[in-house]
Amino acid sequence: MNQTIQMHQIARELPEYDCWFSHLFTDSPIINAAIEHTTLINGTILGEQFKENSENYLRSHNLQIDYRAETNDYDLVVYCSDLMIPERMRSTKMIWVQEGMVDKYTVRSKVIKTLGLPPWFCCNTSLNGASNICDIYCTASEGYKNYFSKTGSDLSKMIVTGMPNYDNLKQFINNDFPYHNYVMVATSDMRETYRIENRPAFIKKAVKIANGRQLLFKLHPNEKYDRAEAEIRKYAPADTLIFQAGNTNEMIANCEELITQYSTVVYTGIALGKKVHSYFELKELKRLSPIQNGGTSARNIANVCRDFLEFSGPKEDFVKTYKFRPVLFKYTEARRVLDAVSA
């Protein structure tokens, strides 16, 4: 849903164009056979439940759907993932937009990259943004711009636009979430995506960090709720709060301390000045943190889309002369109030 909502925000800034939407798809016969005949893909973004959720959102906003891009010929395609872009789409102008953090770049990632194997062989997102297939890469920060250039995509293609959904996090300070002053734990769906996790040990560590303070667990929406809840009830104090749904950013705004695993929401904690814990190195996270530009990232990306669409030369030449000018946001009275509350 994060990707779907982000793409909707960008399209809203392009009212003069005929925008269509597709859930992520691939032309790989191996993956498509796995989707059709097995349950192996169910826990990934390609799973049917995620497609259904995405399309329900699109229909609820009267947006045009063209699953697998089979209805029209397109002048521009905007992706959140370059892990599995079909060959038939690669002659079209392509823009990649960052939608969250990526998994750790490991030895396996390096081997797959070196051997030229499909990046989805990693079975994670460590090579997302690293294929260099797209013509332009819109990143969340200067830190990520340098990161993606080191993992495989050309630095000349990188434009720091900010990342929708994570570019105006102070807006969540004033909220109606009824709980305050707890230690919040944001879990990840590692087991659902076939990665190893010792959840009891993680819960016990969270209890130790809380040191008597109330705990609040916000589960990843892809997690098996019954299993996760049973584990928390077994290893955490009886008054521990557990949520599967709800506004995660508001929950973070009201917490004293944030504990995460591999979750982009750690950036919310950093932006709001919370003490945070993560499986990633904290110093690196602060370097990579998305810029806070008052919620103008979608407009920035839309302006890049518009300029690229109107560019009449070979698409490979666009970045050679393009001068990106970010949208400047006004320091309004509402923002003064938010900053005062934050201070």
Side-chain angles (χ1 to χ4, degrees), residues 214-228:
Q214 184 173 39
L215 279 165
L216 182 151
F217 277 77
K218 172 58 170 63
L219 302 177
H220 190 283
N222 192 31
E223 284 195 76
K224 295 178 180 178
Y225 180 79
D226 291 343
R227 175 178 66 180

PDB file of all heavy atoms in Angstrom, residues 214-228:
ATOM      1  N   GLN A 214       5.657   0.740  29.681  1.00  0.00           N
ATOM      2  CA  GLN A 214       4.683   0.010  28.875  1.00  0.00           C
ATOM      3  C   GLN A 214       5.203  -0.179  27.456  1.00  0.00           C
ATOM      4  O   GLN A 214       5.820   0.705  26.869  1.00  0.00           O
ATOM      5  CB  GLN A 214       3.347   0.748  28.822  1.00  0.00           C
ATOM      6  CG  GLN A 214       2.279  -0.044  28.074  1.00  0.00           C
ATOM      7  CD  GLN A 214       0.910   0.572  28.139  1.00  0.00           C
ATOM      8  OE1 GLN A 214       0.774   1.772  28.074  1.00  0.00           O
ATOM      9  NE2 GLN A 214      -0.120  -0.257  28.282  1.00  0.00           N
ATOM     10  N   LEU A 215       4.936  -1.362  26.897  1.00  0.00           N
ATOM     11  CA  LEU A 215       5.318  -1.686  25.526  1.00  0.00           C
ATOM     12  C   LEU A 215       4.107  -1.607  24.609  1.00  0.00           C
ATOM     13  O   LEU A 215       2.987  -1.937  24.998  1.00  0.00           O
ATOM     14  CB  LEU A 215       5.905  -3.097  25.451  1.00  0.00           C
ATOM     15  CG  LEU A 215       7.376  -3.270  25.842  1.00  0.00           C
ATOM     16  CD1 LEU A 215       7.683  -4.740  26.075  1.00  0.00           C
ATOM     17  CD2 LEU A 215       8.285  -2.715  24.752  1.00  0.00           C
ATOM     18  N   LEU A 216       4.349  -1.169  23.384  1.00  0.00           N
ATOM     19  CA  LEU A 216       3.343  -1.190  22.331  1.00  0.00           C
ATOM     20  C   LEU A 216       3.961  -1.831  21.104  1.00  0.00           C
ATOM     21  O   LEU A 216       4.989  -1.346  20.609  1.00  0.00           O
ATOM     22  CB  LEU A 216       2.846   0.215  22.011  1.00  0.00           C
ATOM     23  CG  LEU A 216       1.743   0.337  20.945  1.00  0.00           C
ATOM     24  CD1 LEU A 216       0.867   1.563  21.221  1.00  0.00           C
ATOM     25  CD2 LEU A 216       2.321   0.451  19.524  1.00  0.00           C
ATOM     26  N   PHE A 217       3.375  -2.908  20.625  1.00  0.00           N
ATOM     27  CA  PHE A 217       3.845  -3.580  19.411  1.00  0.00           C
ATOM     28  C   PHE A 217       2.950  -3.205  18.245  1.00  0.00           C
ATOM     29  O   PHE A 217       1.734  -3.354  18.309  1.00  0.00           O
ATOM     30  CB  PHE A 217       3.818  -5.103  19.589  1.00  0.00           C
ATOM     31  CG  PHE A 217       5.011  -5.667  20.297  1.00  0.00           C
ATOM     32  CD1 PHE A 217       5.125  -5.556  21.675  1.00  0.00           C
ATOM     33  CD2 PHE A 217       6.021  -6.302  19.599  1.00  0.00           C
ATOM     34  CE1 PHE A 217       6.218  -6.083  22.341  1.00  0.00           C
ATOM     35  CE2 PHE A 217       7.124  -6.824  20.248  1.00  0.00           C
ATOM     36  CZ  PHE A 217       7.228  -6.713  21.634  1.00  0.00           C
ATOM     37  N   LYS A 218       3.558  -2.709  17.166  1.00  0.00           N
ATOM     38  CA  LYS A 218       2.844  -2.501  15.899  1.00  0.00           C
ATOM     39  C   LYS A 218       3.364  -3.548  14.929  1.00  0.00           C
ATOM     40  O   LYS A 218       4.531  -3.504  14.510  1.00  0.00           O
ATOM     41  CB  LYS A 218       3.091  -1.093  15.360  1.00  0.00           C
ATOM     42  CG  LYS A 218       2.536  -0.853  13.945  1.00  0.00           C
ATOM     43  CD  LYS A 218       1.029  -1.099  13.875  1.00  0.00           C
ATOM     44  CE  LYS A 218       0.456  -0.622  12.530  1.00  0.00           C
ATOM     45  NZ  LYS A 218       1.011  -1.380  11.403  1.00  0.00           N
ATOM     46  N   LEU A 219       2.523  -4.507  14.577  1.00  0.00           N
ATOM     47  CA  LEU A 219       2.928  -5.609  13.725  1.00  0.00           C
ATOM     48  C   LEU A 219       2.940  -5.201  12.252  1.00  0.00           C
ATOM     49  O   LEU A 219       2.128  -4.375  11.817  1.00  0.00           O
ATOM     50  CB  LEU A 219       1.988  -6.799  13.915  1.00  0.00           C
ATOM     51  CG  LEU A 219       1.894  -7.342  15.349  1.00  0.00           C
ATOM     52  CD1 LEU A 219       0.881  -8.470  15.407  1.00  0.00           C
ATOM     53  CD2 LEU A 219       3.252  -7.816  15.835  1.00  0.00           C
ATOM     54  N   HIS A 220       3.847  -5.788  11.513  1.00  0.00           N
ATOM     55  CA  HIS A 220       3.856  -5.582  10.063  1.00  0.00           C
ATOM     56  C   HIS A 220       2.564  -6.145   9.481  1.00  0.00           C
ATOM     57  O   HIS A 220       2.118  -7.231   9.886  1.00  0.00           O
ATOM     58  CB  HIS A 220       5.068  -6.291   9.452  1.00  0.00           C
ATOM     59  CG  HIS A 220       5.314  -5.945   8.018  1.00  0.00           C
ATOM     60  ND1 HIS A 220       4.559  -6.476   6.989  1.00  0.00           N
ATOM     61  CD2 HIS A 220       6.207  -5.113   7.434  1.00  0.00           C
ATOM     62  CE1 HIS A 220       4.994  -6.000   5.839  1.00  0.00           C
ATOM     63  NE2 HIS A 220       5.985  -5.169   6.076  1.00  0.00           N
ATOM     64  N   PRO A 221       1.917  -5.438   8.553  1.00  0.00           N
ATOM     65  CA  PRO A 221       0.624  -5.906   8.016  1.00  0.00           C
ATOM     66  C   PRO A 221       0.687  -7.255   7.322  1.00  0.00           C
ATOM     67  O   PRO A 221      -0.352  -7.904   7.133  1.00  0.00           O
ATOM     68  CB  PRO A 221       0.213  -4.784   7.049  1.00  0.00           C
ATOM     69  CG  PRO A 221       1.453  -4.005   6.776  1.00  0.00           C
ATOM     70  CD  PRO A 221       2.303  -4.123   8.002  1.00  0.00           C
ATOM     71  N   ASN A 222       1.886  -7.696   6.940  1.00  0.00           N
ATOM     72  CA  ASN A 222       2.023  -8.976   6.260  1.00  0.00           C
ATOM     73  C   ASN A 222       2.228 -10.137   7.227  1.00  0.00           C
ATOM     74  O   ASN A 222       2.317 -11.290   6.817  1.00  0.00           O
ATOM     75  CB  ASN A 222       3.205  -8.916   5.273  1.00  0.00           C
ATOM     76  CG  ASN A 222       3.243 -10.099   4.321  1.00  0.00           C
ATOM     77  OD1 ASN A 222       2.213 -10.653   3.963  1.00  0.00           O
ATOM     78  ND2 ASN A 222       4.444 -10.507   3.917  1.00  0.00           N
ATOM     79  N   GLU A 223       2.300  -9.842   8.524  1.00  0.00           N
ATOM     80  CA  GLU A 223       2.564 -10.896   9.500  1.00  0.00           C
ATOM     81  C   GLU A 223       1.336 -11.744   9.791  1.00  0.00           C
ATOM     82  O   GLU A 223       0.198 -11.278   9.694  1.00  0.00           O
ATOM     83  CB  GLU A 223       3.056 -10.285  10.814  1.00  0.00           C
ATOM     84  CG  GLU A 223       4.496  -9.823  10.780  1.00  0.00           C
ATOM     85  CD  GLU A 223       5.020  -9.572  12.186  1.00  0.00           C
ATOM     86  OE1 GLU A 223       5.319 -10.547  12.898  1.00  0.00           O
ATOM     87  OE2 GLU A 223       5.123  -8.391  12.566  1.00  0.00           O
ATOM     88  N   LYS A 224       1.580 -12.983  10.195  1.00  0.00           N
ATOM     89  CA  LYS A 224       0.515 -13.844  10.691  1.00  0.00           C
ATOM     90  C   LYS A 224       0.173 -13.375  12.099  1.00  0.00           C
ATOM     91  O   LYS A 224       0.929 -13.598  13.044  1.00  0.00           O
ATOM     92  CB  LYS A 224       0.970 -15.294  10.683  1.00  0.00           C
ATOM     93  CG  LYS A 224       1.227 -15.842   9.286  1.00  0.00           C
ATOM     94  CD  LYS A 224       1.725 -17.277   9.324  1.00  0.00           C
ATOM     95  CE  LYS A 224       1.978 -17.798   7.908  1.00  0.00           C
ATOM     96  NZ  LYS A 224       2.518 -19.185   7.918  1.00  0.00           N
ATOM     97  N   TYR A 225      -0.968 -12.735  12.223  1.00  0.00           N
ATOM     98  CA  TYR A 225      -1.305 -12.038  13.464  1.00  0.00           C
ATOM     99  C   TYR A 225      -1.419 -12.979  14.664  1.00  0.00           C
ATOM    100  O   TYR A 225      -0.874 -12.695  15.738  1.00  0.00           O
ATOM    101  CB  TYR A 225      -2.615 -11.265  13.293  1.00  0.00           C
ATOM    102  CG  TYR A 225      -3.032 -10.524  14.540  1.00  0.00           C
ATOM    103  CD1 TYR A 225      -2.437  -9.309  14.887  1.00  0.00           C
ATOM    104  CD2 TYR A 225      -4.008 -11.050  15.380  1.00  0.00           C
ATOM    105  CE1 TYR A 225      -2.805  -8.640  16.037  1.00  0.00           C
ATOM    106  CE2 TYR A 225      -4.386 -10.382  16.540  1.00  0.00           C
ATOM    107  CZ  TYR A 225      -3.784  -9.177  16.860  1.00  0.00           C
ATOM    108  OH  TYR A 225      -4.140  -8.514  18.003  1.00  0.00           O
ATOM    109  N   ASP A 226      -2.093 -14.099  14.512  1.00  0.00           N
ATOM    110  CA  ASP A 226      -2.322 -14.990  15.648  1.00  0.00           C
ATOM    111  C   ASP A 226      -1.008 -15.491  16.233  1.00  0.00           C
ATOM    112  O   ASP A 226      -0.835 -15.548  17.460  1.00  0.00           O
ATOM    113  CB  ASP A 226      -3.197 -16.171  15.222  1.00  0.00           C
ATOM    114  CG  ASP A 226      -4.627 -15.751  14.905  1.00  0.00           C
ATOM    115  OD1 ASP A 226      -5.017 -14.643  15.317  1.00  0.00           O
ATOM    116  OD2 ASP A 226      -5.337 -16.514  14.223  1.00  0.00           O
ATOM    117  N   ARG A 227      -0.089 -15.865  15.360  1.00  0.00           N
ATOM    118  CA  ARG A 227       1.209 -16.344  15.841  1.00  0.00           C
ATOM    119  C   ARG A 227       1.970 -15.234  16.545  1.00  0.00           C
ATOM    120  O   ARG A 227       2.509 -15.432  17.642  1.00  0.00           O
ATOM    121  CB  ARG A 227       2.044 -16.884  14.667  1.00  0.00           C
ATOM    122  CG  ARG A 227       3.458 -17.293  15.066  1.00  0.00           C
ATOM    123  CD  ARG A 227       4.240 -17.874  13.900  1.00  0.00           C
ATOM    124  NE  ARG A 227       4.493 -16.899  12.854  1.00  0.00           N
ATOM    125  CZ  ARG A 227       5.156 -17.177  11.726  1.00  0.00           C
ATOM    126  NH1 ARG A 227       5.594 -18.413  11.513  1.00  0.00           N
ATOM    127  NH2 ARG A 227       5.350 -16.251  10.820  1.00  0.00           N
ATOM    128  N   ALA A 228       2.020 -14.060  15.922  1.00  0.00           N
ATOM    129  CA  ALA A 228       2.762 -12.939  16.505  1.00  0.00           C
ATOM    130  C   ALA A 228       2.170 -12.522  17.852  1.00  0.00           C
ATOM    131  O   ALA A 228       2.905 -12.261  18.814  1.00  0.00           O
ATOM    132  CB  ALA A 228       2.759 -11.762  15.535  1.00  0.00           C
TER     133      ALA A 228
END
